[in-house]
Amino acid sequence: LQLSLDSRLPLQSIAALAKLSKLNCKGCPGLISPPVEIAMQGETQTVSFLRDVAAHGVFSSEMTLFLLGDGEAGKTSVIRALKSSRNVAEPIREDHRTVGIDVEEWTPS
């Protein structure tokens, strides 16, 4: 099976194709799943990965992001820019700077 346009493949449906032995998706721009690293391992390994994910995988839309750096390096500004609809962080007043650790949740739109 040769795929070259879609960036998100229907994993369950493809993994269920019993006679599928190779899946070439190296030409998929912006490939999300399977990861590019898996696709680059070869067509047979890609099918193996898809079947393993279909049988044992769990989809998660969550991730943890740690930003480390010196004081006033811009860590809070990066978070605020990510959370902003305009992707811009407003200036942070000195009395609103992060002291210690700050934990925030974000749902990308």
Side-chain angles (χ1 to χ4, degrees):
L1 180 60
Q2 168 73 37
L3 299 167
S4 60
L5 298 175
D6 218 343
S7 62
R8 182 167 291 261
L9 305 178
L11 300 181
Q12 297 289 341
S13 300
I14 291 173
L17 298 171
K19 294 186 179 185
L20 181 66
S21 61
K22 294 181 179 181
L23 178 65
N24 183 348
C25 51
K26 289 182 183 174
C28 296
L31 187 64
I32 296 170
S33 187
V36 173
E37 295 81 6
I38 299 296
M40 296 306 291
Q41 290 179 19
E43 300 163 351
T44 304
Q45 290 84 348
T46 301
V47 172
S48 177
F49 170 83
L50 293 179
R51 290 198 172 123
D52 187 52
V53 168
H56 309 288
V58 177
F59 178 77
S60 174
S61 60
E62 296 181 8
M63 67 177 274
T64 302
L65 173 66
F66 291 95
L67 297 177
L68 306 172
D70 293 333
E72 298 184 47
K75 301 173 297 291
T76 300
S77 294
V78 168
I79 294 294
R80 289 185 180 185
L82 285 171
K83 293 173 76 172
S84 165
S85 62
R86 297 183 354 250
N87 296 324
V88 175
E90 300 298 325
I92 299 171
R93 294 193 335 240
E94 189 169 333
D95 58 335
H96 284 92
R97 292 194 178 133
T98 305
V99 177
I101 297 174
D102 196 9
V103 177
E104 296 195 33
E105 291 198 20
W106 168 52
T107 304
S109 51

